[in-house]
Amino acid sequence: MPALVLLGAQWGDEGKGKATDLLGGSVDYVVRYQGGNNAGHTVVVGDQKYALHLLPSGILSPGCTPVIGNGVVVDPSVLLSELSGLNERGVDTSKLLISGNAHIITPYNVTVDKVTERFLGKRKIGTTGRGIGPTYADKINRVGIRVQDLYDESILTQKVEAALDVKNQMLTKLYNRRAIAVEQVVEELLGYADKLAPYVADTVLVLNEALEQDKVVLFEGGQGTLLDIDHGTYPFVTSSNPTAGGACTGAGVGPTKISRVIGILKAYTTRVGAGPFPTELFDEDGEALRRIGGERGVTTGRDRRCGWFDAVIARYATRVNGLTDFFLTKLDVLTGWEQIPVCVAYEIDGRRVEELPYSQTDFHHAKPVYEMLPGWNEDISKVKSFSDLPKNAQAYVKALEEMSGAPISAIGVGPGRTETIEINSFL
């Protein structure tokens, strides 16, 4: 079967962009199936660094068709700006396809996101303020605006009116904000119609026909498993399903078409935003991981919270996604530590717990139980084969593989496209 899913196995920011880009030259389609411009990827090609927020990483691979699926929420201004920036750098973006069923992030969705988060104060979720959550809420409430609505002014106007009937009441009476004019929103959205038209397609049909023709399709998740709305650390999660099941609903492809599910694991752990994080470090080790790993959000610009590797989370990701392989990234960042702690279980109210607790209360009180593994000092950034890694680095990888429950098929030893050790082919 030629369909693969590639997703984050922690809280996002694991290096999915690099992994997708590495496979991009061997696949025919790369599909974003959920999320919006709250999911940043950094891809390094040669001496060029690309920061992608909404576009699939496959857009950097000649011959690959990048697809924004129906499960994605699209901010037209961000998308067009991102396309323009790539075009200026000589990247061909003409093959991009956007699902006509993808939902549009409207100006009022962004406004609602920002004022709601500010209103929550200490109870805030830590959203990016880009309108993602309110857009998904509109989708579920059946008052959302879809890409296809840009091409019927009457329907678009009716839908905007229906959405603002409620939102203007909330903005003016609850948040003491100005009402948003229907005409202004409609005019802005219609202004994107012609610019987006060349890309809009029935992507469900395109992708299923491609699979029937034995084309290779890679489904790329944004964020990570622990940020999944159903399976993450709720309520400190995103508003969509980055887990493997989201690829089916977010792209319109049945589960029987998917042959491999690849989880991206960082050799340590990071997360952005609020929420529980058992292995988080508040000492010089945490600062060193942040500095050496360049741990700053691509989209948010916020420093990432850093901690040691959490095998409990990795096992959970293997289970809920049905992972067949791991791609371990940023192993090089751990060079220089005499010993490297790995969280193998949690202590909760005096009990040792080896699986992720389903209770939000228990997870908030979880304390990491560490196993110490010997470190290494050798530079590994130029290593091309697993056998050439320092013995302690090999042992670290093997230990993580055993603890996580799926084979590690590739290892990132640097940010560049070529700085990867491939153990088993994903294709």
Side-chain angles (χ1 to χ4, degrees):
M1 294 266 185
L4 305 88
V5 179
L6 189 147
L7 51 85
Q10 294 157 315
W11 276 288
D13 306 309
E14 301 93 349
K16 296 180 292 296
K18 173 180 177 171
T20 308
D21 178 64
L22 188 70
L23 291 166
S26 305
V27 303
D28 300 296
Y29 294 81
V30 174
V31 186
R32 271 288 304 276
Y33 59 83
Q34 48 73 227
N37 56 302
N38 58 343
H41 298 317
T42 298
V43 180
V44 179
V45 182
D47 60 352
Q48 294 291 309
K49 181 183 286 188
Y50 298 88
L52 304 176
H53 305 278
L54 183 59
L55 291 168
S57 301
I59 198 143
L60 299 175
S61 300
C64 178
T65 299
V67 179
I68 293 176
N70 57 272
V72 178
V73 291
V74 178
D75 186 321
S77 64
V78 172
L79 176 59
L80 292 170
S81 175
E82 201 165 332
L83 288 169
S84 176
L86 290 177
N87 289 334
E88 288 173 3
R89 297 177 68 178
V91 177
D92 180 16
T93 62
S94 62
K95 298 185 74 172
L96 173 69
L97 299 178
I98 304 170
S99 171
N101 288 339
H103 280 247
I104 293 283
I105 299 174
T106 67
Y108 53 79
N109 291 136
V110 177
T111 299
V112 168
D113 197 359
K114 290 179 178 177
V115 298
T116 304
E117 187 77 349
R118 194 175 299 126
F119 183 78
L120 287 171
K122 293 181 180 179
R123 292 173 287 117
K124 65 182 180 181
I125 303 300
T127 77
T128 59
R130 286 165 168 77
I132 311 295
T135 304
Y136 276 114
D138 280 0
K139 177 179 179 177
I140 298 302
N141 287 327
R142 298 177 294 280
V143 293
I145 309 298
R146 298 192 293 179
V147 170
Q148 61 174 280
D149 296 331
L150 302 183
Y151 304 97
D152 189 321
E153 185 174 350
S154 176
I155 287 179
L156 177 63
T157 302
Q158 291 175 43
K159 288 190 171 185
V160 172
E161 285 176 344
L164 285 179
D165 273 349
V166 175
K167 288 180 175 57
N168 276 336
Q169 293 289 323
M170 179 180 67
L171 288 170
T172 57
K173 295 180 179 177
L174 179 60
Y175 297 120
N176 197 28
R177 299 280 172 156
R178 278 198 216 117
I180 298 172
V182 171
E183 298 78 11
Q184 183 180 341
V185 173
V186 171
E187 182 180 359
E188 180 176 334
L189 294 179
L190 288 175
Y192 299 122
D194 289 344
K195 296 173 184 176
L196 294 177
Y199 307 111
V200 180
D202 181 352
T203 57
V204 172
L205 178 61
V206 169
L207 293 173
N208 278 282
E209 286 183 342
L211 290 170
E212 288 167 8
Q213 296 165 13
D214 290 328
K215 304 280 182 151
V216 180
V217 179
L218 178 65
F219 299 94
E220 173 189 47
Q223 292 90 32
T225 296
L226 274 296
L227 291 177
D228 187 279
I229 186 70
D230 287 295
H231 303 291
T233 50
Y234 190 89
F236 303 99
V237 292
T238 193
S239 302
S240 57
N241 293 108
T243 45
C248 298
T249 54
V253 171
T256 55
K257 301 286 180 67
I258 294 170
S259 55
R260 298 184 81 168
V261 184
I262 305 161
I264 313 304
L265 268 181
K266 199 174 280 185
Y268 47 101
T269 311
T270 63
R271 80 171 294 176
V272 171
F277 183 179
T279 67
E280 184 173 10
L281 296 169
F282 301 95
D283 57 10
E284 59 185 19
D285 283 335
E287 183 54 41
L289 288 173
R290 186 178 297 110
R291 184 184 71 255
I292 299 167
E295 297 298 349
R296 181 176 286 268
V298 178
T299 295
T300 64
R302 292 182 286 186
D303 284 341
R304 295 175 185 141
R305 301 157 63 190
C306 295
W308 299 119
F309 186 85
D310 189 330
V312 181
I313 285 172
R315 284 194 293 275
Y316 178 76
T318 301
R319 184 164 60 250
V320 299
N321 291 298
L323 295 179
T324 58
D325 304 82
F326 279 116
F327 187 135
L328 185 70
T329 63
K330 291 198 169 184
L331 184 64
D332 54 302
V333 173
L334 296 180
T335 298
W337 267 273
E338 185 175 341
Q339 288 191 310
I340 305 171
V342 173
C343 174
V344 296
Y346 300 142
E347 182 186 315
I348 303 173
D349 296 331
R351 297 176 293 116
R352 181 186 172 101
V353 176
E354 299 195 356
E355 299 297 344
L356 196 76
Y358 78 89
S359 163
Q360 176 184 341
T361 302
D362 281 352
F363 193 56
H364 271 277
H365 291 99
K367 297 178 181 178
V369 176
Y370 287 118
E371 180 178 314
M372 305 302 290
L373 299 179
W376 61 93
N377 290 309
E378 301 91 331
D379 178 13
I380 64 172
S381 62
K382 306 303 178 190
V383 173
K384 298 298 181 186
S385 66
F386 183 76
S387 60
D388 289 336
L389 283 172
K391 295 300 181 185
N392 286 350
Q394 292 184 38
Y396 184 80
V397 172
K398 289 177 180 176
L400 264 53
E401 181 178 71
E402 184 176 345
M403 294 174 189
S404 302
I408 293 174
S409 294
I411 304 167
V413 294
R417 178 183 275 182
T418 60
E419 294 172 313
T420 303
I421 297 169
E422 191 169 343
I423 300 171
N424 296 306
S425 174
F426 291 120
L427 298 174

